[in-house]
Amino acid sequence: MKITPVHDLSWYIKWVSSLILIGSIACRSAGFSDLDIYLSFVGITGWGVVGWLWGDRALILVNGVAATILLIAILRMI
């Protein structure tokens, strides 16, 4: 039984964010660590929004912490 929403706003954010995170992992493996950090931040933030839309505190917590850590890394690079 599928219980996650389909074709609503969260569904699109979830899939776009997932594809961005896959791209960030590919960038990391290819040695583009700066691009990886930016893409990871976008993907993680997207998943944080999904967690907020779903009211899922675990998704909000893990992605909120990860986004904060990645934002610190981005700010250090500037």
Side-chain angles (χ1 to χ4, degrees):
M1 175 172 70
K2 189 179 236 180
I3 58 171
T4 56
V6 178
H7 298 295
D8 69 342
L9 178 62
S10 69
W11 185 86
Y12 291 102
I13 296 171
K14 173 182 76 171
W15 282 106
V16 169
S17 297
S18 294
L19 292 173
I20 289 170
L21 285 170
I22 291 168
S24 75
I25 294 166
C27 287
R28 171 61 54 133
S29 69
F32 301 113
S33 59
D34 288 354
L35 183 56
D36 163 52
I37 292 172
Y38 290 108
L39 291 177
S40 292
F41 178 75
V42 172
I44 289 293
T45 301
W47 266 104
V49 171
V50 170
W52 179 71
L53 290 172
W54 288 355
D56 188 319
R57 288 178 289 192
L59 284 177
I60 295 167
L61 175 67
V62 72
N63 290 295
V65 170
T68 301
I69 292 168
L70 288 165
L71 181 59
I72 291 168
I74 290 168
L75 293 174
R76 288 180 55 117
M77 289 170 32
I78 296 176

